[in-house]
Amino acid sequence: MTRLASAGVVLAAAALGCRDRAEAVQRQGALRELVRQRMPALEQVTGLKFKRDPAVAARSRTQVRDYIIHKFDEDLPPAELAGLQQTLRLFGFVPDSLDLRESFADVLTEQIGGYFDPDSNTLYVPTDIDSFIVRTSVTHELVHALQGQYVNLDSLLELKHANDRRSAAQAVLEGQATLVQTLVMMPEQRLEQLPSFWEARVATMAQQRRMPAFAHASRWLRETLIFPYLAGADFVRWYATTHPGRQPYGAAMPVSTEQILHPDRYAAGDAPLELAFVPPSPDTVRYEDDLGEFETRLLFAELLDDSTEEQAAWLASGWGGDRFRVLGPGFDALVWYSVWDNSAAAARFAKGLERAWARRRSVGGPGRPGGPGGPATRLWEVTRLTLDGRPLVRLVDAPVGWSGWKSVPRIMIVKGR
């Protein structure tokens, strides 16, 4: 009896294994057929031809998460991750308790309906999504496969310490994929008749909030994930109508989120000023980057609870470039410079930043210790400056005993408009 029972179990397992393999083969065949059907429509909408067919494969949700973590760790080694995480904490974008790596992996694992891997030229689709999401994801990711045959995707998305430029490039790539996906899946729509994707952001965010990881993520993570798809789609639509037959690649690629948000600035060639800290630094530089106009907006939206989206956008308008450093050895000092189009924009920003930082630190004013719970351990100040005839604003937030208070690190303009 024992032998017979064991044989029955083995046979049943073998039968299940055969069925699983048959289903996998069938699923793979259906994915290949979907890709084959979508490619001509994508070529027609984009005006680009596939130079080679992308491969397609299914992945379990566990494999999806493993890929996300692999790419995250590749992009942000431990020291870089620690620097970015501390930066976000110092600006007030995320709570001190947040584990950025885990939060990022949780949200993307939940959100991803497919992804394209440029290294293997393969489009991967999770096995646990319904047929409509499969069609949508395959269409979207095929656009990335097509883009990858005309532009080096990794070179754009692996830009180091150029956050704003990288965000602009990502907005073009994801925005084009979103726009093309919409036109292919709804062929009755016309480019010029589509409503604004960015104006539909509130409804999109509400829909996404039904997903637990996204709903519990920080505002910074939610907003920076959504931005390239929606704001990017609006920019690419504008570009397609004003530059018919051309692609926003190469030298035409936007270089700032300001240009994504304001295509008229792009059209005018309004590129940001490039800022650099004057060496040497007596402190260890733990992290350095920029925010850009979009994340400056986010900062006001996060810190000023009474600020509307329009007010946050107004306070960030006139941005002309920025650069910050997080300094050690205590890993605590933040020095942020921003340059503005004119003195009115700088004054508006400085006043808004003073109000935002007073709320952030719960103190009476710039440089004043105090607030609840006894003497302050940190000081902060917002200072208006002029450099090469251009208005600047400097924020410093650091421990009371920081030696840099005696000689705050300086900035210079490396490249101007």
Side-chain angles (χ1 to χ4, degrees), residues 99-301:
D99 184 320
L100 183 61
R101 182 175 182 266
E102 286 301 305
S103 181
F104 187 87
D106 288 346
V107 172
L108 259 67
T109 300
E110 176 187 76
Q111 294 278 312
I112 279 182
Y115 59 92
F116 174 71
D117 178 31
D119 296 334
S120 60
N121 188 42
T122 302
L123 192 163
Y124 293 101
V125 180
T127 56
D128 60 349
I129 57 178
D130 64 39
S131 57
F132 175 77
I133 300 298
V134 168
R135 292 194 300 274
T136 303
S137 297
V138 165
T139 307
H140 186 98
E141 297 306 320
L142 271 176
V143 180
H144 292 320
L146 184 56
Q147 291 167 339
Q149 296 178 16
Y150 290 86
V151 64
N152 187 333
L153 299 180
D154 286 339
S155 70
L156 292 174
L157 300 181
E158 290 178 1
L159 290 168
K160 297 298 183 182
H161 306 291
N163 169 65
D164 191 46
R165 187 168 193 148
R166 175 171 166 160
S167 297
Q170 188 179 15
V172 167
L173 300 176
E174 294 296 355
Q176 185 177 45
T178 301
L179 181 64
V180 172
Q181 159 205 316
T182 302
L183 293 172
V184 168
M185 296 194 69
M186 296 188 290
E188 72 281 0
Q189 295 283 352
R190 293 292 175 266
L191 187 68
E192 63 278 3
Q193 295 173 341
L194 288 172
S196 168
F197 287 85
W198 186 244
E199 289 178 4
R201 171 175 152 275
V202 173
T204 303
M205 295 282 279
Q207 186 176 19
Q208 296 296 93
R209 279 177 178 274
R210 297 174 187 172
M211 307 183 83
F214 186 88
H216 290 93
S218 66
R219 183 203 297 256
W220 174 84
L221 183 53
R222 295 195 309 267
E223 296 276 5
T224 55
L225 284 176
I226 288 290
F227 173 80
Y229 294 86
L230 303 185
D234 279 346
F235 175 85
V236 173
R237 180 178 58 174
W238 170 85
Y239 189 90
T241 57
T242 55
H243 301 74
R246 294 167 57 187
Q247 303 294 334
Y249 303 157
M253 184 74 73
V255 295
S256 69
T257 55
E258 179 190 45
Q259 292 183 340
I260 296 293
L261 291 164
H262 310 284
D264 59 312
R265 311 278 174 87
Y266 172 89
D270 186 4
L273 292 168
E274 185 178 334
L275 305 179
F277 281 88
V278 177
S281 172
D283 295 285
T284 301
V285 179
R286 299 295 188 176
Y287 199 75
E288 179 177 330
D289 212 328
D290 56 25
L291 291 188
E293 180 177 337
F294 176 65
E295 288 190 36
T296 300
R297 282 190 186 186
L298 279 187
L299 186 66
F300 284 119

Side-chain angles (χ1 to χ4, degrees), residues 52-71:
R52 58 189 179 278
D53 292 357
V56 62
R59 284 292 183 265
S60 69
R61 190 57 60 174
T62 299
Q63 289 174 312
V64 170
R65 185 182 180 87
D66 289 344
Y67 178 81
I68 291 168
I69 291 175
H70 167 72
K71 296 302 285 185

Side-chain angles (χ1 to χ4, degrees), residues 21-42:
R21 283 193 295 275
E23 289 177 353
V25 169
Q26 186 178 20
R27 186 185 307 115
Q28 190 83 354
L31 286 174
R32 287 198 189 98
E33 179 60 19
L34 179 58
V35 167
R36 187 190 66 78
Q37 291 175 355
R38 283 285 192 253
M39 287 171 65
L42 289 171

